[in-house]
């Protein structure tokens, strides 16, 4: 009985000693653990006792065995979930949306004692991969991420699988990759937003409605779906020639040039639904340069209710974006996951709200 108890104490001692060396950094991730023979000699026990200690450490995620090579310290020990740090990965730090989103995130996390590590991808997949690879080398407790070009097929889902392996919860905000649509996420209901804007123009008597949307993120695709649904419900034929698609790389040029060309080609239009407020003002600039008056000739809608929407005499009709609340909701969801809540169908959709400005006008002659 005493011998059996002694063996139990020995394998526990081996286990605790090895864990202490791993957690203190004496043994680093990827380092090879001393062989069973060496440990047995060091602790004056049988190989069976050593094997039992190593097996428990393997089950707990401290080490892993490779056949024919030995036993190694896992990467998991980098992630002890005691750092108090949460990473926030955004597409653009200077974008008018994200400062307020970050404020909402920070208010919630600071109250709970966490600090934020900010990363910026500039809406580049390559940069997003680098950010995730770097974060996987750090001890962080969770990630809130706005995916880059979220409409395009994601080829780095393996990095998100590594986050799961290291038990680092993550929440998507403002978009989500199609392959990961069941992941926790907090989004605007962009389909409903596109529908509200288009329906508003239709109710004002507009029938020749152009849409300008971003092709490489899910927000643009969903706003376009809402636009198409509103036309269909009112019996207005969808015309692909009245839809302008642009990408991240050409957003500063293509909408402006394309609208100018459409005016020059005589494409009939009396209303335009734009991807966001920035694009709306580029569209207005193109129309005015072509001699088209807004809203007298063409009504224009934006999206996001940004400060620029109300900065001049022309106030945009737009969709209110609850930026700070969206950030707070993402942070609260992440904290629940950190607290042990199992990821389920955690898709939170925030309902849009129409903000009517003077960039749209009632067209009585069409009613």
């Amino acid at each position: 009985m005493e011998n059996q108890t002694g063996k139990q104490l020995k394998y526990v001692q081996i286990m605790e000693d090895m864990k202490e060396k791993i957690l203190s950094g004496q043994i680093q991730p990827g380092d090879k653990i001393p062989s069973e023979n060496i440990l047995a000699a060091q602790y004056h026990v049988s190989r069976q006792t050593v094997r039992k200690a190593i097996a428990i450490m393997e089950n707990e995620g401290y080490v892993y065995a490779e056949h024919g090579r030995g036993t190694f310290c896992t990467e998991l020990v980098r992630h002890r979930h005691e750092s108090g740090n949460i990473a926030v990965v955004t597409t653009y730090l200077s974008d008018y949306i994200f400062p307020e989103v970050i404020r909402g995130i920070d208010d919630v996390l600071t109250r709970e004692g966490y600090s934020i590590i900010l990363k910026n991808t500039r809406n580049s997949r390559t940069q997003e991969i680098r950010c995730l690879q770097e974060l996987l080398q750090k001890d962080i407790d969770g990630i809130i991420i706005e995916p880059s070009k979220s409409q395009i097929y994601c080829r780095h889902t393996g990095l998100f699988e590594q986050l799961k392996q290291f038990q680092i919860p993550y929440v998507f905000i403002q978009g989500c990759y199609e392959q990961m649509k069941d992941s926790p996420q907090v989004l605007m209901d962009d389909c409903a937003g596109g529908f509200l804007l288009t329906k508003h123009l239709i109710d004002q008597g507009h029938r020749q409605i152009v849409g300008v949307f971003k092709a490489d993120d899910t927000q643009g695709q969903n706003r376009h779906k809402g636009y198409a649904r509103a036309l269909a419900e009112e019996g207005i034929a969808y015309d692909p020639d009245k839809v302008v698609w642009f990408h991240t790389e050409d957003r500063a040029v293509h909408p402006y040039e394309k609208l100018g060309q459409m005016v020059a080609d005589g494409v009939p239009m009396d209303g335009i639904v734009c991807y966001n407020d920035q694009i709306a003002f580029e569209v207005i600039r193109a129309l005015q340069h072509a001699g088209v008056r807004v809203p007298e000739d063409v009504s224009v809608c934006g999206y996001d209710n940004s400060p620029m929407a109300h900065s001049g005499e022309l106030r945009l009709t737009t969709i209110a974006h609850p930026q700070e609340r969206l950030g707070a909701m993402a942070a609260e969801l992440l904290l629940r996951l950190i607290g042990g809540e199992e990821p389920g169908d955690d898709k939170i959709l925030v309902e849009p709200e129409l903000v009517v400005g003077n960039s749209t006008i009632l067209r009585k002659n069409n009613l």
Side-chain angles (χ1 to χ4, degrees):
M1 184 70 172
E2 288 181 1
N3 287 341
Q4 183 65 25
T5 303
K7 285 182 180 179
Q8 288 177 347
L9 291 175
K10 278 295 184 183
Y11 84 75
V12 171
Q13 180 190 344
I14 295 168
M15 197 169 56
E16 293 303 324
D17 283 356
M18 294 297 292
K19 284 182 182 179
E20 195 281 327
K21 288 177 181 177
I22 290 172
L23 295 175
S24 67
Q26 286 180 258
I27 299 176
Q28 292 287 319
D31 286 354
K32 189 174 182 178
I33 304 299
S35 69
E36 289 180 5
N37 285 335
I38 292 174
L39 290 173
Q42 180 181 337
Y43 287 96
H44 307 289
V45 296
S46 68
R47 288 179 60 185
Q48 183 180 0
T49 301
V50 171
R51 198 172 295 129
K52 186 172 184 179
I54 297 299
I56 294 172
M57 291 177 65
E58 188 170 359
N59 286 337
E60 292 181 356
Y62 285 88
V63 299
Y64 65 95
E66 284 193 12
H67 184 68
R69 293 190 65 225
T71 303
F72 300 84
C73 179
T74 68
E75 289 283 339
L76 181 59
V77 300
R78 294 186 191 274
H79 307 288
R80 296 163 61 186
H81 311 295
E82 299 172 356
S83 68
N85 292 324
I86 288 177
V88 178
V89 182
T90 74
T91 52
Y92 300 104
L93 286 175
S94 59
D95 183 87
Y96 60 74
I97 293 292
F98 245 89
E100 292 302 314
V101 172
I102 292 169
R103 187 195 305 275
I105 293 171
D106 186 59
D107 285 348
V108 171
L109 297 183
T110 300
R111 188 167 63 242
E112 298 298 323
Y114 288 92
S115 299
I116 289 178
I117 299 173
L118 273 178
K119 294 289 181 181
N120 173 26
T121 67
R122 297 185 295 279
N123 210 26
S124 160
R125 284 290 181 82
T126 301
Q127 190 61 29
E128 179 173 304
I129 290 169
R130 287 176 185 157
C131 283
L132 290 172
Q133 288 173 335
E134 181 183 337
L135 291 171
L136 281 163
Q137 300 303 311
K138 296 181 181 294
D139 186 12
I140 55 173
D141 296 352
I143 300 179
I144 296 172
I145 179 167
E146 181 190 24
S148 300
K149 299 183 178 178
S150 52
Q151 183 60 26
I152 299 174
Y153 186 85
C154 179
R155 299 186 183 278
H156 56 278
T157 54
L159 293 173
F160 291 97
E161 287 301 317
Q162 285 187 51
L163 290 175
K164 289 181 182 178
Q165 178 188 340
F166 295 156
Q167 298 170 16
I168 302 172
Y170 57 88
V171 171
F172 285 112
I173 188 170
Q174 300 245 96
C176 184
Y177 298 119
E178 176 63 23
Q179 306 102 292
M180 307 177 69
K181 60 185 177 183
D182 295 329
S183 299
Q185 53 191 283
V186 178
L187 316 169
M188 281 282 292
D189 190 341
D190 287 306
C191 184
F195 178 88
L196 277 179
L197 291 170
T198 311
K199 183 68 163 57
H200 169 73
L201 289 176
I202 294 170
D203 289 345
Q204 295 291 95
H206 300 72
R207 293 294 182 271
Q208 304 289 342
I209 302 173
V210 170
V212 184
F213 303 105
K214 195 164 185 281
D216 54 14
D217 68 31
T218 53
Q219 295 102 305
Q221 296 288 335
N222 287 329
R223 291 168 195 181
H224 168 260
K225 285 180 184 176
Y227 159 85
R229 181 162 66 88
L231 294 178
E233 287 190 8
E234 294 296 324
I236 300 173
Y238 177 88
D239 183 353
D241 291 335
K242 282 191 166 63
V243 177
V244 177
W245 292 103
F246 67 94
H247 295 79
T248 297
E249 290 75 16
D250 63 11
R251 67 190 184 280
V253 176
H254 185 66
Y256 176 89
E257 291 184 345
K258 182 62 176 177
L259 261 296
Q261 188 60 52
M262 289 172 74
V263 172
D265 291 343
V267 174
M269 65 181 80
D270 57 16
I272 304 177
V273 174
C274 298
Y275 168 77
N276 65 14
D277 295 345
Q278 286 178 325
I279 296 300
F281 277 107
E282 285 302 302
V283 164
I284 290 169
R285 192 166 66 88
L287 293 174
Q288 291 175 337
H289 185 261
V292 177
R293 298 171 302 164
V294 177
E296 293 85 353
D297 299 323
V298 177
S299 293
V300 177
C301 297
Y303 202 110
D304 291 334
N305 197 30
S306 65
M308 70 176 65
H310 314 286
S311 60
E313 290 184 9
L314 189 65
R315 300 185 309 281
L316 275 180
T317 292
T318 183
I319 292 291
H321 191 301
Q323 302 155 10
E324 193 167 335
R325 183 161 68 93
L326 204 72
M329 292 168 74
E332 288 162 357
L333 175 55
L334 183 63
L335 288 176
R336 295 201 300 274
L337 297 175
I338 291 172
E341 181 178 304
E342 286 294 320
D345 189 16
D346 295 311
K347 183 174 182 178
I348 300 174
L349 280 179
V350 180
E351 288 300 314
E353 180 184 343
L354 184 70
V355 179
V356 179
N358 63 9
S359 68
T360 57
I361 193 171
L362 183 66
R363 298 183 69 82
K364 294 180 180 178
N365 57 311
N366 284 350
L367 292 177

